[in-house]
């Protein structure tokens, strides 16, 4: 083994391997051209009091679509029968404040009903026009990125 190869091997051993991204799902709920924003409650582990879409960790053995539908029912009370459409959108890689990567599987769910049934992960929900999302100043930092990945035309209007 050459010295150069030995040196490279030592450097590789000393460098921590890049961490695999954690996987989550994010579902943007629409009804009659409006977007549902959910205010995260004090019972959640992070981003308390901030407005967001429906989210959840990808559970072992579940496909992203299965997990997204499960989160939608659990957090908003919407089943497949309550949806006019359920569409996969972009897969996003988003880094958190510590630089850890997250793989976000995004979806758009168009609801046929206005009334939602939220669980204890949220204190409230509001329907808003896409152009007014920026008025929710206390929103999760990566919500805008999710909206751009699911509703490109909406995100463009919201930034004006």
């Amino acid at each position: 083994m050459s010295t150069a190869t030995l040196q490279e091997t030592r450097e590789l051993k000393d460098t921590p391997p890049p961490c695999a991204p954690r996987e989550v799902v994010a579902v943007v709920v629409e009804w009659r051209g409006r977007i549902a924003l959910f205010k995260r409650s004090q019972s959640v582990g992070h981003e308390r009091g901030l407005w967001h879409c429906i989210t959840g960790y990808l559970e072992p053995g579940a496909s992203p679509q299965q997990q997204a539908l499960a989160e939608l029912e659990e957090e908003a009370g919407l089943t497949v029968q309550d949806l006019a459409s359920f569409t996969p959108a972009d897969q996003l890689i988003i880094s958190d404040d510590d630089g850890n990567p997250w793989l976000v599987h995004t979806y758009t769910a168009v609801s046929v009903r206005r009334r939602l049934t939220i669980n204890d992960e949220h204190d409230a929900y509001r329907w808003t026009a896409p152009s007014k999302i920026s008025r929710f100043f206390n929103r999760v930092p990566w919500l805008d990125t999710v909206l751009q990945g699911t509703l490109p035309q909406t995100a463009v209007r919201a930034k004006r």
Side-chain angles (χ1 to χ4, degrees):
M1 184 180 287
S2 73
T3 306
T5 304
L6 184 57
Q7 181 67 26
E8 288 172 13
T9 304
R10 279 195 197 122
E11 287 174 5
L12 289 175
K13 282 184 178 179
D14 294 339
T15 306
C19 70
R22 291 181 243 177
E23 293 188 61
V24 294
V25 296
V27 184
V28 174
V29 181
E30 285 185 70
W31 174 76
R32 295 188 179 176
R34 295 183 174 267
I35 305 296
L37 294 181
F38 299 84
K39 189 172 185 184
R40 296 178 57 77
S41 73
Q42 296 301 309
S43 70
V44 296
H46 57 304
E47 299 170 332
R48 295 177 182 135
L50 301 181
W51 294 94
H52 205 4
C53 59
I54 298 294
T55 59
Y57 291 99
L58 183 60
E59 298 291 334
S63 72
Q65 181 173 330
Q66 290 169 330
Q67 190 67 49
L69 289 168
E71 297 295 338
L72 197 57
E73 184 170 2
E74 177 185 312
E75 295 184 31
L78 293 172
T79 65
V80 173
Q81 292 78 19
D82 298 317
L83 304 178
S85 67
F86 183 78
T87 311
D90 293 346
Q91 288 187 352
L92 309 170
I93 296 285
I94 299 174
S95 295
D96 62 21
D97 292 337
D98 296 325
N100 298 312
W102 292 79
L103 175 58
V104 184
H105 302 274
T106 63
Y107 294 87
T108 301
V110 178
S111 177
V112 296
R113 62 184 177 94
R114 179 177 184 251
R115 189 159 185 86
L116 304 177
T117 305
I118 57 174
N119 68 358
D120 67 339
E121 293 182 43
H122 307 287
D123 289 332
Y125 72 93
R126 298 286 181 272
W127 291 105
T128 187
S131 62
K132 297 185 178 177
I133 289 172
S134 61
R135 292 184 182 178
F136 292 80
F137 65 91
N138 57 338
R139 59 190 184 276
V140 171
W142 54 283
L143 175 61
D144 293 345
T145 305
V146 170
L147 290 173
Q148 288 174 356
T150 56
L151 309 164
Q153 67 280 16
T154 301
V156 171
R157 285 193 303 241
K159 288 188 169 187
R160 289 185 188 165

